[in-house]
Amino acid sequence: MTALEMRAATPDELPLVEGLLIGAGEWLASLGSDQWQFPPRRARLLESMGRGECFLAFQDGRAIGTLTVDEQADPEFWHAGDEPGTALYVHRMAIARDVAGQAVGARMLDWAATRAVAAGKSRVRLDAWKTNPALHRYYLGQGFTLVRTVDLPHRQSGALFEREVSSAAHGPVVGQRC
């Protein structure tokens, strides 16, 4: 398995991040899904890049994945009783289709878990599209548990998942290989 290098994306790499997200949306559409059928929000991506929270995964010098990892608990989903400060949150994870099946997403999630440990957090959380059961099965297979589904009429996302992390979590820190 070829190592991944994870590092923060820079604003000049916005086209790489957008390309990965658009590619994921096109693939989802080919499966009949309505998930991610809109252009990536450039301002949101640039803001997360400016905060050092948007990352790219490189393999053999080529960007093959992206995700955002931050402390931003969506208040429509995560409430005070969930102890939002105990987690890091994964957003906008996408991989290039030609590396599907090579555990790239799993390695990126393990890397996010390692970041959570380094930040003193006890879990990694994410929200997923409510109508994508294949994605739900994927996250369950990656050690996440379904916390609940929040059904808001103005949101397509709302299946809430979390994974406990420990100091034994896999994956190196930013700029290292995993």
Side-chain angles (χ1 to χ4, degrees), residues 16-26 36 40 45 66 92-94:
L16 292 175
V17 173
E18 285 180 315
L20 288 161
L21 294 169
I22 289 167
E26 290 171 348
W36 286 7
L45 290 171
T66 185
R92 297 178 291 282
M93 185 172 95

Side-chain angles (χ1 to χ4, degrees), residues 63-177:
I64 60 166
T66 185
L67 80 168
T68 296
V69 180
D70 61 30
E71 295 186 17
Q72 309 302 314
D74 188 320
E76 289 191 314
F77 295 150
W78 302 102
H79 308 290
D82 296 318
E83 300 179 5
T86 64
L88 284 186
Y89 297 83
V90 173
H91 314 276
R92 297 178 291 282
M93 185 172 95
I95 64 165
R97 296 313 313 151
D98 65 325
V99 296
Q102 297 179 25
V104 173
R107 290 158 47 204
M108 290 169 54
L109 290 169
D110 286 346
W111 176 85
T114 299
R115 286 188 64 82
V117 169
K121 307 297 183 180
S122 61
R123 56 189 54 101
V124 174
R125 290 180 171 156
L126 56 88
D127 59 270
W129 212 253
K130 294 178 288 199
T131 58
N132 190 336
L135 184 59
H136 301 176
R137 286 189 300 276
Y138 173 78
Y139 287 128
L140 292 169
Q142 297 305 314
F144 284 78
T145 57
L146 177 64
V147 175
R148 67 182 166 272
T149 300
V150 177
D151 193 14
L152 300 172
H154 62 284
R155 301 287 297 268
Q156 295 297 334
S157 195
L160 308 183
F161 291 86
E162 71 179 13
R163 181 169 109 182
E164 299 291 324
V165 298
S166 70
S167 58
H170 303 286
V173 295
V174 176
Q176 292 186 342
R177 296 186 180 274

